[in-house]
Amino acid sequence: MLLPIYIYGHPVLRKVSEDITPEYAGLSKLLDDMWQTMYESDGVGLAAPQIGKNIRIFVIDGSPFEELDPDCKDFKKAFINAHILERSGDDVPFNEGCLSIPGIHEDVMRKDRIKITYRDENWVEHVEEFTGTRARIIQHEYDHLDGIVFTDHLSALKKRLLKGKLNNISAGKFKQSYRVVLPK
C-alpha cells in the first residue's frame, strides 16, 4: 500500500524515534509498504517518521548511485532499531534532497565513514561499517530517526535564504507526484 509522505513542518519529523520489539504488529507489511512508497516516490531511502511513525526503521536502495559509487550496486537494506556507533573520516559535501522537503536540494557535509548497529527484517543483529555514498544515504535516513532533516545541517545564511521556500512547502505550495500529509 502506498503511504503518504509527511512534509517539512509536521511535528512527527522532529520527534526522536523509539526502538521496537520483535513483536511489533504488522512489521512485515509496514516494511513492504515502505519499500513500495519509496520506489513510487522515486526515493533512495525512506524513514518511518516520513510516514508518520516515530519508530527506528528506515529502508534504503542505493542502486541509483551505482554509477557514482559501485559499492551502491545491490545496496538494498532495511534498518530496524538502528544506532550509529561512530562517525569518522573526512567531511564530504554532497547535494541532497528529501521526499519530505520536495524541490529543495543543497550541499550537505557528512562524514564518509560510519559504524552502525541495527537489526534486519529477519531480526538478525548486525554491526557494520559503511563508507562513501552508502554511509551518506544511511546518515540522511538515520537523521530522520533523531528528528533531524538535511536542511538542519546547512549554514545559518543558507537556512535564511531557504526560509521562504520551506514555508511554502509547509503550506503545501509545491508540486510532487506522491500523496502527502501537510503540517496542521
Side-chain angles (χ1 to χ4, degrees):
M1 175 173 75
L2 281 177
L3 303 169
I5 303 292
Y6 283 62
I7 295 300
Y8 179 85
H10 198 288
V12 74
L13 296 174
R14 292 303 188 175
K15 292 180 183 168
V16 175
S17 295
E18 302 285 333
D19 284 348
I20 62 168
T21 66
E23 295 79 28
Y24 186 85
L27 178 59
S28 181
K29 174 149 180 31
L30 175 63
L31 288 169
D32 288 344
D33 291 347
M34 288 179 71
W35 287 115
Q36 181 183 7
T37 301
M38 180 190 77
Y39 287 127
E40 292 291 326
S41 304
D42 291 324
V44 296
L46 183 68
Q50 293 179 277
I51 56 163
K53 297 189 177 296
N54 284 117
I55 55 177
R56 296 191 78 81
I57 297 176
F58 59 88
V59 296
I60 288 174
D61 184 346
S63 60
F65 291 109
E66 178 185 350
E67 195 171 299
L68 172 71
D69 183 346
D71 287 340
C72 287
K73 181 180 183 188
D74 300 323
F75 180 56
K76 179 180 176 181
K77 287 184 177 282
F79 292 77
I80 301 168
N81 293 347
H83 294 277
I84 290 180
L85 303 172
E86 181 181 322
R87 298 175 202 247
S88 60
D90 296 325
D91 287 320
V92 178
F94 193 82
N95 196 264
E96 294 187 18
C98 182
L99 296 174
S100 292
I101 310 176
I104 304 281
H105 294 84
E106 293 293 335
D107 287 342
V108 174
M109 300 293 285
R110 294 192 190 268
K111 295 290 187 189
D112 67 352
R113 178 179 302 275
I114 62 164
K115 184 175 185 180
I116 188 170
T117 181
Y118 67 96
R119 293 190 179 272
D120 64 23
E121 61 275 6
N122 298 312
W123 214 254
V124 175
E125 187 172 14
H126 299 267
V127 176
E128 294 184 76
E129 290 190 18
F130 295 96
T131 60
T133 306
R134 295 180 308 159
R136 171 168 298 280
I137 297 167
I138 291 168
Q139 288 176 85
H140 176 107
E141 297 308 326
Y142 181 88
D143 275 356
H144 284 296
L145 306 184
D146 286 340
I148 299 167
V149 294
F150 83 93
T151 54
D152 294 342
H153 294 285
L154 301 176
S155 70
L157 174 61
K158 186 58 96 169
K159 287 178 194 174
R160 277 195 303 268
L161 293 172
L162 288 175
K163 186 175 182 181
K165 287 181 182 180
L166 292 171
N167 287 340
N168 283 341
I169 289 169
S170 293
K173 298 175 184 173
F174 59 88
K175 292 181 183 177
Q176 84 295 333
S177 61
Y178 45 88
R179 290 183 18 226
V180 301
V181 175
L182 297 173
K184 299 215 178 334

